[in-house]
Amino acid sequence: MDTTLRDALRDRAQAFHSLHVRRGGAPLALANAWDAASARLTEEAGAPAIATSSAGAAWALGFGDGDRLTPEEALALVARVVRAVRVPVTADIEGGYAEDPAGVARTVEGVLAAGAVGVNLEDARYEGAALLPVAEQAARIAAARAAADTAGVPLFLNARTDTYLRGIGAPEGRLAATLERAAAYVAAGADGVFVPGVTDLDTVAQLAEGIAVPLNILVGPGAPSVAELGKAGAARVSLGSSVASAAYAVARRAAAELHAEGTYSTLSEPVTYGEFNALFDR
């Protein structure tokens, strides 16, 4: 990697790490983007960093969510987002778009080449068993960590576990199972742990207490506020695919209104043509 690029990525990565304040501080709040325009709008709203949504990106490219993109398609999207903004970017790379740890390492190399300085790497499977075995996922995390270390960039590796999102095991054992996975992932090189599917403040507090690195929580309508989650111990909160879902809901409502009623009220509060052009005119 070119020395100038490595130094720039290192600076951005360190800045991104510094946004994760633990133990009652204000969490890093991420409204996930899925293309360059949504990333610029998010940056313009004051976001200190941009996170991509793999689901939103897949939908925009004509695929369903769940490791259906090729690495090339996913990384091209990341590169477009990075070019559109000035703040650090973290990329949702699902399961790494690879069958084995070596493939995950290649994807991470591509993420860095695209200019992103963080990744989400999940343990969910979309065929067969619901989650990868702990040791197998730890090996994939270790490969990702080694790829970043070789490049000389302190990539923020956010290890996602779907124990709660997929309802793995008996409810009474889910906390312990999550903490077990988190510990293995941290030992393998994870800088953060992402536990979607839980917003109960007591559980968030137990997770934050039991996990040695910053905790990321998935939020949306009905979840506690960012401040409440921060007080419970969350260091990062993400909207995930819900922003893309809401945007596409507007598209569906507008189309339905046009074809059923012949009217256009759904489109009464747009980001204007001039505003969009101004976002990219800098």
Side-chain angles (χ1 to χ4, degrees):
M1 179 182 291
D2 175 79
T3 301
T4 301
L5 174 60
R6 186 186 64 232
D7 291 346
L9 289 176
R10 184 183 295 135
D11 289 345
R12 265 182 264 163
Q14 290 170 342
F16 186 61
H17 274 265
S18 73
L19 296 173
H20 296 76
V21 178
R22 302 193 67 213
R23 297 291 177 252
L28 171 61
L30 297 171
N32 301 64
W34 64 96
D35 62 8
S38 58
R40 265 302 281 129
L41 287 169
T42 302
E43 181 186 36
E44 186 74 6
I50 301 295
T52 67
S53 161
S54 62
W59 298 333
L61 294 172
F63 296 89
D65 186 30
D67 277 328
R68 299 186 190 184
L69 294 179
T70 65
E72 293 77 17
E73 289 165 332
L75 293 172
L77 179 281
V78 173
R80 287 195 293 273
V81 168
V82 170
R83 286 195 300 269
V85 300
R86 293 172 175 166
V87 296
V89 173
T90 181
D92 183 348
I93 60 170
E94 303 187 68
Y97 304 112
E99 295 295 324
D100 57 18
V104 173
R106 287 192 294 273
T107 297
V108 168
E109 291 168 358
V111 167
L112 294 172
V117 293
V119 294
N120 276 9
L121 184 61
E122 66 188 57
D123 59 8
R125 271 181 164 162
Y126 293 91
E127 296 180 5
L131 301 184
L132 288 167
V134 175
E136 187 174 338
Q137 180 64 4
R140 296 164 76 86
I141 290 168
R145 176 84 280 145
D149 289 348
T150 297
V153 178
L155 179 83
F156 192 100
L157 205 170
N158 202 33
R160 170 174 154 174
T161 181
D162 280 8
T163 46
Y164 280 92
L165 190 64
R166 295 192 173 217
I168 303 300
E172 60 271 17
R174 204 160 291 151
L175 176 64
T178 303
L179 293 176
E180 178 186 356
R181 281 183 174 266
Y185 299 167
V186 172
D191 298 295
V193 172
F194 183 20
V195 187
V198 57
T199 56
D200 171 74
L201 292 174
D202 288 341
T203 305
V204 170
Q206 291 178 79
L207 288 167
E209 183 64 30
I211 295 174
V213 295
L215 172 66
N216 186 182
I217 296 296
L218 183 67
V219 294
S225 69
V226 172
E228 289 172 318
L229 288 163
K231 190 174 181 179
R236 174 168 160 181
V237 298
S238 307
L239 289 173
S241 62
S242 60
V243 183
S245 295
Y248 289 129
V250 172
R252 180 167 65 181
R253 288 197 301 273
E257 180 188 359
L258 176 68
H259 293 294
E261 308 295 336
T263 56
Y264 333 105
S265 62
T266 301
L267 304 176
S268 61
E269 297 183 21
V271 178
T272 68
Y273 180 91
E275 286 173 323
F276 256 128
N277 277 354
L279 284 174
F280 294 99
D281 187 18
R282 62 179 191 180

